[in-house]
Amino acid sequence: MAAGDGAEEVRLSVPATPEYLRLARITGSGLASRLGFTYDEVEDLRLALDELCFALVGADGRMGTLEVRYTVTDKTIEVEGTLLGSGSAVAPSLSDLGDQILAALVDDHAVRPAGERPSIWLRKVRAG
Amino acid sequence: MSFDVSRREELKAKFSEFSETRDQAVRRELIEAHLGLAEYLARRFANRGEPLDDLIQVASVALLKAVDRYDPDRGVEFSTYATHTIAGELKRHFRDKGWAVRAPRRMQELYLRLGQAISALSQERGRSPTISELAQETRVSEEEVLEALEAGQAYRFASLDAPGTGPEEAEALASRLGEEDPEFTGAEHRATLSPLIAKLPHRQQLILHLRFFEGLTQSDIAARLGISQMHVSRLLARSLAQLREAAETDGLT
């Protein structure tokens, strides 16, 4: 999943509450725009980020910090969201519908429920 | 929102019946009997910057939950229980739109201009424009484009009835969605729809279906339905937000 040579990483750490998810969207769309994503692609990415964050934070928020790591290369953006310092680790989960939605919005995605860093990850590649 | 004594007794009996049998016809009847309550509560939250239609929908979904979860044996009147549930959902609806800041007028205008630019450039180039092309076309920075899009998506002024949805667009949408799409109503496809989706307005169901089950792009959908791409984006974002809310409260996540 490492994006390889020439990859640049941006990290965003915010309280894990719905009020801050806007920042995750803005950061993502800003980076995608730098990569020359089209309006359609940026909108899809934004919807995907909403799904990703919701799966981690829920509608009511969680204790702790949401860390979102953006890795960009030439025409690809990868985003990994993790919930940090929430005491008992809450494993992220995606509903079947959430899974279907992400599959339509991005090129690849994965839920990593176990391990040291339970996270949700996605990748979107510019078409042109 | 009160019923006379005999009607109240009748409904009480229906609730007892429903709690034992989970009969769907009884459930429907109970829901219908209380839709007025849902609408009444939704109206109490009107004029706070959210379209009434949305509020009624939030309240109606909350009513379904209240009917399903109500336990008549606890000795609480249904109307009390439902009012609590519905008002809670409405409050949450407002709270979830956390950044309840009205976008500055300049952003609203830019948002509308962007809508036109997206349509014009898409037509001209036969593909969705990049953010940088949109910035050039509207003569603002990329950051401002993104800010305006985000502000628009954040629902603040993105009501479906707001400026930007011209009458011809609304009419086009209404007339196209009025026709039953044969593909869409096929039983096979209905089976793919989550029960949560089935609670959304028909036009939103159709757009979700086209994007997530048929794999059309947002631009394709806009062209197919004769509405703007921006409108499709807004409807998708709104639908997904509603699905998440419903899923969270249903515990189906």
Side-chain angles (χ1 to χ4, degrees):
Chain A
M1 110 177 212
D5 289 344
E8 289 177 342
E9 187 181 89
V10 172
R11 287 191 198 201
L12 176 71
S13 273
V14 293
T17 59
E19 289 78 15
Y20 287 94
L21 302 189
R22 174 189 152 93
L23 294 179
R25 283 196 305 266
I26 291 179
T27 308
S29 59
L31 291 168
S33 148
R34 273 169 49 96
L35 300 182
F37 276 43
T38 65
Y39 172 74
D40 264 11
E41 290 166 336
V42 170
E43 289 301 300
D44 279 350
L45 178 65
R46 249 205 322 225
L47 294 176
L49 287 174
D50 272 342
E51 289 297 321
L52 179 146
C53 290
F54 177 79
L56 291 163
V57 166
D60 291 326
R62 303 265 190 266
M63 298 288 287
T65 302
L66 173 69
E67 185 181 86
V68 190
R69 287 205 276 189
Y70 306 83
T71 312
V72 293
T73 45
D74 186 27
K75 55 197 298 197
T76 301
I77 180 165
E78 293 186 13
V79 184
E80 186 192 35
T82 314
L83 203 55
L84 298 174
S86 54
S88 58
V90 187
S93 69
L94 266 185
S95 63
D96 288 349
L97 182 60
D99 194 60
Q100 172 117 25
I101 287 169
L102 278 183
L105 292 172
V106 297
D107 294 276
D108 201 0
H109 71 280
V111 181
R112 307 201 169 103
E116 260 175 51
R117 219 182 140 79
S119 65
I120 303 189
W121 166 87
L122 61 81
R123 174 185 15 229
K124 189 155 182 70
V125 184
R126 190 187 72 208
Chain B
M1 281 300 107
S2 55
F3 299 109
D4 62 35
V5 178
S6 63
R7 176 69 170 145
R8 205 178 301 159
E9 287 304 317
E10 192 188 326
L11 287 170
K12 226 176 198 167
K14 291 274 178 200
F15 270 115
S16 299
E17 186 189 343
F18 178 59
S19 84
E20 277 164 30
T21 63
R22 308 311 276 181
D23 183 273
Q24 289 305 300
V26 177
R27 177 177 185 260
R28 257 197 309 280
E29 197 181 329
L30 288 169
I31 291 165
E32 275 162 22
H34 294 91
L35 280 175
L37 174 65
E39 184 170 341
Y40 168 77
L41 291 168
R43 285 187 188 281
R44 287 186 39 190
F45 283 82
N47 304 318
R48 298 190 193 181
E50 285 290 301
L52 181 61
D53 281 357
D54 282 11
L55 298 179
I56 291 178
Q57 196 181 345
V58 169
S60 304
V61 172
L63 172 65
L64 301 185
K65 278 173 220 152
V67 167
D68 288 341
R69 288 185 192 168
Y70 177 60
D71 179 358
D73 294 339
R74 286 208 194 156
V76 182
E77 287 281 335
F78 177 74
S79 57
T80 310
Y81 176 75
T83 300
H84 185 77
T85 308
I86 296 169
E89 284 289 314
L90 286 163
K91 280 181 198 155
R92 169 139 111 173
H93 178 75
F94 278 93
R95 200 201 51 207
D96 284 354
K97 312 267 179 288
W99 300 61
V101 203
R102 286 213 158 257
R105 173 123 211 109
R106 199 177 56 81
M107 274 298 145
Q108 298 191 28
E109 281 163 6
L110 177 55
Y111 183 71
L112 298 181
R113 281 204 289 137
L114 281 170
Q116 290 157 1
I118 290 163
S119 301
L121 289 175
S122 301
Q123 219 155 44
E124 197 179 300
R125 310 189 177 199
R127 61 163 173 81
S128 178
T130 65
I131 301 300
S132 125
E133 288 166 345
L134 286 171
Q136 280 170 22
E137 179 76 11
T138 50
R139 292 164 207 263
V140 297
S141 69
E142 288 185 31
E143 282 67 32
E144 283 172 292
V145 172
L146 294 170
E147 198 187 334
L149 292 178
E150 174 65 30
Q153 205 76 70
Y155 295 73
R156 286 296 97 209
F157 54 89
S159 151
L160 296 175
D161 316 308
T165 312
E168 59 299 348
E169 187 172 295
E171 204 170 293
L173 184 68
S175 68
R176 302 211 184 207
L177 298 185
E179 304 160 16
E180 291 290 296
D181 186 329
E183 274 177 66
F184 178 61
T185 47
E188 163 198 2
H189 283 138
R190 211 176 290 159
T192 67
L193 291 179
S194 131
L196 296 174
I197 296 183
K199 290 178 187 169
L200 295 174
H202 185 228
R203 62 183 172 188
Q204 284 173 241
Q205 290 186 33
L206 176 57
I207 290 173
L208 282 174
H209 179 80
L210 293 173
R211 182 68 193 85
F212 298 119
F213 297 93
E214 298 285 323
L216 269 64
T217 66
Q218 296 194 19
S219 296
D220 293 340
I221 297 171
R224 174 145 167 197
L225 299 181
I227 60 179
S228 72
Q229 284 103 316
M230 216 172 217
H231 199 157
V232 172
S233 293
R234 275 199 316 252
L235 282 168
L236 278 174
R238 166 188 296 204
S239 303
L240 293 183
Q242 286 172 337
L243 286 178
R244 285 192 292 265
E245 266 169 46
E248 175 91 350
T249 5
D250 277 10
L252 293 177
T253 43

